[in-house]
Amino acid sequence: MAHTHSHDHSGHDHGSGAHVHGSTDKKRVLVAACLTAGFMVAEALGGLFTGSLALLADAGHMLADAIALGLAWYAFHLAGRPATGQLTYGFGRVKTLVAYTNGIAIFIIALWIVYEAWDRLLTPAPVLGGPMLVVAILGLLVNLGSFLVLHGGDRESLNMRGAILHVLGDLLGSAAAIVAALVILATGWTPIDPILSVLVSLLILSTAWSLMRAAAHVLLEGVPPTLDRDVVAKDLETTIPGVREVHHMHVWSLDGSSNMATLHACLDDGVDAHRAVSAIKKRLASEHGISHATVEPEFGQCADDSHDHDHEHEHDAAAHHGHHH
């Protein structure tokens, strides 16, 4: 049976909404990148002048964040480009790749701060509490501005989540620097500076890890967390007339927000294949949020059964005896 690649565009309706989100998110990220980069220079100079690791740590975060936000902006910019002959899905997944890279960058910075803090605890250095407090408060205000700009964006987007995570890390860094400055001014106890910078790093490490896991799941083409492939296959078998069995089913997400699927639909004899395929696509779009599906209708034997070299052959042969694949 020939493959039917008819594309039912009823599932693509929400694409325009996603596009609007993308363009506003792009502007938000650019504003945050400029704010962060601008203040990062002032904070680095402040850290060197006052001798504060907390300020330097925060400036280090802001440097990485300015670069990360710049990359996030570029990813949004690329995602708007049409698909090419080589990149047939377009550049949508660049955003996920950037989110993953961001996670790795945060990890490296946080580990560097922990190392520096240990060094500081062994050999305490003098810290100027007054100027440190002024710079930290200014940093907090700038980071708060960036956070508010980004917070209104699309929280479903991994790229946007990565950007917000960076700025949240900066906010915590500035808050820690303020607390450290107040303690140093009140008691003169300088070890508070490296101790708080380590606490901030540990908080950021855990959030970076969850971002990297989510991005890796998309890059490995895992089933989106909101969907269960076997439940979707069962739903098609029970609701679409003439569909005897669904197998060879793959469900994945292109960029963390647009879901896709491929499947074989084994049809009863005499069923109109085109009508069945259209019904499957409509059901996937309306009930399961799968906007792009490729459906191969079959009568009788599965066409792939003859290909013993197919890496999924043994697995899929079992699908004909009751489990969904």
Side-chain angles (χ1 to χ4, degrees), residues 161-176:
R161 271 173 60 192
I164 290 170
L165 175 59
H166 273 287
V167 173
L168 203 56
D170 290 338
L171 258 176
L172 286 170
S174 296

Side-chain angles (χ1 to χ4, degrees), residues 41-320:
V41 178
E43 195 162 42
L45 293 172
L48 291 170
F49 172 68
T50 60
S52 164
L53 180 64
L55 280 185
L56 276 176
D58 200 37
H61 273 296
M62 289 182 89
L63 170 64
D65 295 351
I67 294 167
L69 289 166
L71 278 173
W73 173 82
Y74 188 59
F76 277 122
H77 175 67
L78 273 183
R81 288 190 184 177
T84 67
Q86 256 60 47
L87 293 165
T88 54
Y89 278 126
F91 295 81
R93 200 165 269 190
V94 173
K95 293 184 289 187
T96 310
L97 199 57
V98 166
Y100 187 76
T101 313
N102 270 348
I104 294 172
I106 300 169
F107 246 80
I108 293 165
I109 293 162
L111 291 173
W112 171 78
I113 291 164
V114 171
Y115 171 77
E116 279 291 311
W118 178 248
D119 199 43
R120 278 287 179 99
L121 285 168
L122 294 177
T123 52
V127 179
L128 302 174
M132 175 185 171
L133 182 63
V134 173
V135 176
I137 289 171
L138 288 173
L140 183 75
L141 294 173
V142 170
N143 290 324
L144 202 56
S146 296
F147 181 73
L148 291 173
V149 166
L150 292 176
H151 194 65
D154 180 14
R155 248 76 50 90
E156 293 296 303
S157 159
L158 276 176
N159 195 28
M160 205 61 183
R161 271 173 60 192
I164 290 170
L165 175 59
H166 273 287
V167 173
L168 203 56
D170 290 338
L171 258 176
L172 286 170
S174 296
I178 289 171
V179 173
L182 290 171
V183 170
I184 290 165
L185 283 172
T187 66
W189 192 60
T190 54
I192 188 70
D193 183 47
I195 288 168
L196 284 178
S197 58
V198 168
L199 274 176
V200 170
S201 294
L202 293 177
L203 280 172
I204 293 165
L205 277 174
S206 65
T207 37
W209 176 248
S210 66
L211 174 71
M212 281 171 70
R213 268 181 54 192
H217 189 74
V218 172
L219 293 172
L220 290 168
E221 303 203 328
V223 176
T226 53
L227 294 170
D228 180 321
R229 181 200 60 183
D230 295 342
V231 168
V232 174
K234 192 76 187 158
D235 175 62
L236 294 176
E237 288 173 353
T238 52
T239 59
I240 309 294
V243 174
R244 194 167 76 246
E245 188 195 12
V246 169
H247 56 263
H248 271 315
M249 185 168 191
H250 299 276
V251 182
W252 73 100
S253 174
L254 191 61
D255 55 5
S257 53
S258 32
N259 301 329
M260 322 188 83
T262 59
L263 60 102
H264 289 196
C266 197
L267 306 177
D268 293 328
D269 290 337
V271 169
D272 181 334
H274 178 74
R275 189 171 294 170
V277 168
S278 292
I280 288 169
K281 286 172 177 259
K282 282 196 175 79
R283 179 83 184 170
L284 287 172
S286 63
E287 293 301 312
H288 303 290
I290 296 171
S291 55
H292 181 111
T294 303
V295 180
E296 181 177 344
E298 295 168 345
F299 293 93
Q301 193 186 10
C302 175
D304 283 6
D305 278 356
S306 57
H307 301 311
D308 287 338
H309 64 271
D310 186 335
H311 71 292
E312 289 188 273
H313 173 68
E314 289 124 41
H315 211 54
D316 286 332
H320 295 292

Side-chain angles (χ1 to χ4, degrees), residues 8-44:
D8 173 12
H9 287 277
S10 63
H12 291 259
D13 290 348
H14 64 274
S16 58
H19 180 69
V20 170
H21 247 319
S23 60
T24 59
D25 286 353
K26 183 175 160 183
K27 290 193 193 88
R28 288 172 190 278
V29 168
L30 186 61
V31 170
C34 293
L35 280 174
T36 305
F39 194 75
M40 177 270 299
V41 178
E43 195 162 42

